[in-house]
Amino acid sequence: VPGGRAGLDVGGTKCLGVVLGADGGVVREARVPTPRGSDALVAALAGLAEELRPWDTLGLGIAGRVTLGGEVPASPNLRGVRDAPVRALLEAALGVPVPTANDATCATLAEWRMGAARGAGDVVLVTLGTGIGGGFVVGGRLVLGRHGFAGEVGHMVVDPDGIPCVCGRRGCWERYASGAGIAVQARVAAEAGRLDVVVGLAGGDPEAVRGEHVHAAARDGDPEALAVLDGFAWWVALGLANLVNVTDPEVVVVGGGLGTAADLFLEPVRRHLREWLYSPDERYLPAVVAAGLGEQAGAIGAALLAAEPAALPSDPGNERQLA
Ligand SMILES: [Zn+2]
């Protein structure tokens, strides 16, 4: 009896697991908090996989950099995990192969095969959350890069003299176009004496303003909140235009935690995208759409890795010397 395909998605705060049925729909889900350190992480993932049984195949997505061999060199999202062969340790614990990739790469695979980009041959996906993750399908193939590190769009520099980034450089796109970015832009406006409605929602403290407060005020039509969202959409569009200029996709999928507010900012993103695109009047414009699979996208994509042999080379080559 087929047990289905299972996928695990490791994020900074939780590990989410799903099992897909024969039609690709999620038939079971389980989650555990993400523990600190690689041994505890592998034990938690093995426990999650056991809880999800029965399944036939298992795949794994991990937030941050992951080599083609499933090693995590270091991840700002995973505390105490460094130079950890997570894939090999989990395979040893479970006795099955566990194809492994970056979680945004997994989300891209999921949205491409089963979600908002289904049927497209060329796709750009961005996940707007605490930071920005990304993934690409080019010419009908999921792009991993030579070592597994493709798609780090959040650290595209969009302002060399800009805001310092956790990566040690300045002006990375995710400082402006992520959930953290929208909160910074809102606090700057609030401290300048604007955004009265938003500050009210934050309990009267400009320092406490977060993205959710901006979304809530914008939903009620507050013009100052809508102006902050428009400024945020301008930054999102700037980065997306660079990605569209490079890869000429058919569909741009916007997901991640901010994807739930997509109805508020996708229209301004589409408008600003035209401003930033090279030759917007003499080219095909991609559809810009909200992700369809929500927070399960990474785990669903991890489950699909096992059926995507072309996506994961069996010989990861010289990854080790560069890891
Ligand atoms: Zn950076």
Side-chain angles (χ1 to χ4, degrees):
V1 179
R5 293 169 288 179
L8 308 178
D9 180 15
V10 180
T13 56
K14 69 172 185 296
C15 302
L16 179 67
V18 300
V19 178
L20 307 184
D23 66 351
V26 173
V27 294
R28 282 192 296 290
E29 185 197 282
R31 62 184 72 202
V32 293
T34 302
R36 186 188 176 97
S38 50
D39 290 344
L41 176 63
V42 170
L45 291 173
L48 194 56
E50 294 298 345
E51 186 182 342
L52 288 167
R53 283 188 193 275
W55 40 260
D56 295 320
T57 60
L58 181 69
L60 176 64
I62 301 177
R65 289 184 304 155
V66 187
T67 70
L68 295 176
E71 298 178 346
V72 178
S75 171
N77 308 294
L78 304 177
R79 294 168 305 145
V81 177
R82 188 169 193 88
D83 289 330
V86 175
R87 172 181 178 165
L89 292 171
L90 188 59
E91 289 181 337
L94 294 171
V96 296
V98 187
T100 301
N102 165 270
D103 64 344
T105 302
C106 291
T108 304
L109 177 58
E111 294 287 348
W112 175 41
R113 291 300 190 201
M114 323 196 53
R118 193 169 189 162
D122 294 86
V123 180
V124 169
L125 173 135
V126 295
T127 58
L128 309 181
T130 311
I132 301 180
F136 300 89
V137 175
V138 173
R141 284 187 64 124
L142 189 62
V143 174
L144 300 168
R146 182 64 185 87
H147 312 96
F149 299 161
E152 289 290 351
V153 299
H155 296 282
M156 255 189 331
V157 174
V158 293
D159 181 357
D161 300 317
I163 302 171
C165 183
V166 288
C167 73
R169 301 175 306 152
R170 283 181 174 272
C172 292
W173 187 35
E174 71 175 34
R175 297 273 61 80
Y176 304 89
S178 65
I182 196 170
V184 167
Q185 289 153 42
R187 284 197 288 270
V188 167
E191 282 159 15
R194 302 196 299 277
L195 284 182
D196 289 344
V197 174
V198 173
V199 172
L201 291 173
D205 178 8
E207 292 278 322
V209 167
R210 296 197 312 276
E212 304 91 276
H213 304 126
V214 178
H215 301 156
R219 277 193 202 290
D220 288 340
D222 175 49
E224 291 180 320
L226 287 166
V228 168
L229 271 182
D230 191 71
F232 169 74
W234 185 92
W235 282 109
V236 174
L238 166 57
L240 287 182
N242 289 337
L243 302 176
V244 170
N245 283 336
V246 171
T247 62
D248 183 25
E250 181 178 344
V251 186
V252 174
V253 179
V254 179
L258 277 176
T260 57
D263 60 308
L264 287 170
F265 65 81
L266 279 194
E267 198 47 55
V269 164
R270 293 183 187 109
R271 178 160 39 81
H272 289 303
L273 187 64
R274 287 188 63 88
E275 297 166 29
W276 286 116
L277 272 180
Y278 169 64
S279 190
D281 295 325
E282 287 119 22
R283 65 177 301 142
Y284 296 97
L285 297 173
V288 179
V289 301
L293 300 173
E295 69 159 358
Q296 292 179 327
I300 293 171
L304 296 176
L305 285 174
E308 204 74 28
L312 291 174
S314 54
D315 174 13
N318 65 345
E319 66 183 280
R320 203 45 211 148
Q321 73 191 64
L322 293 172

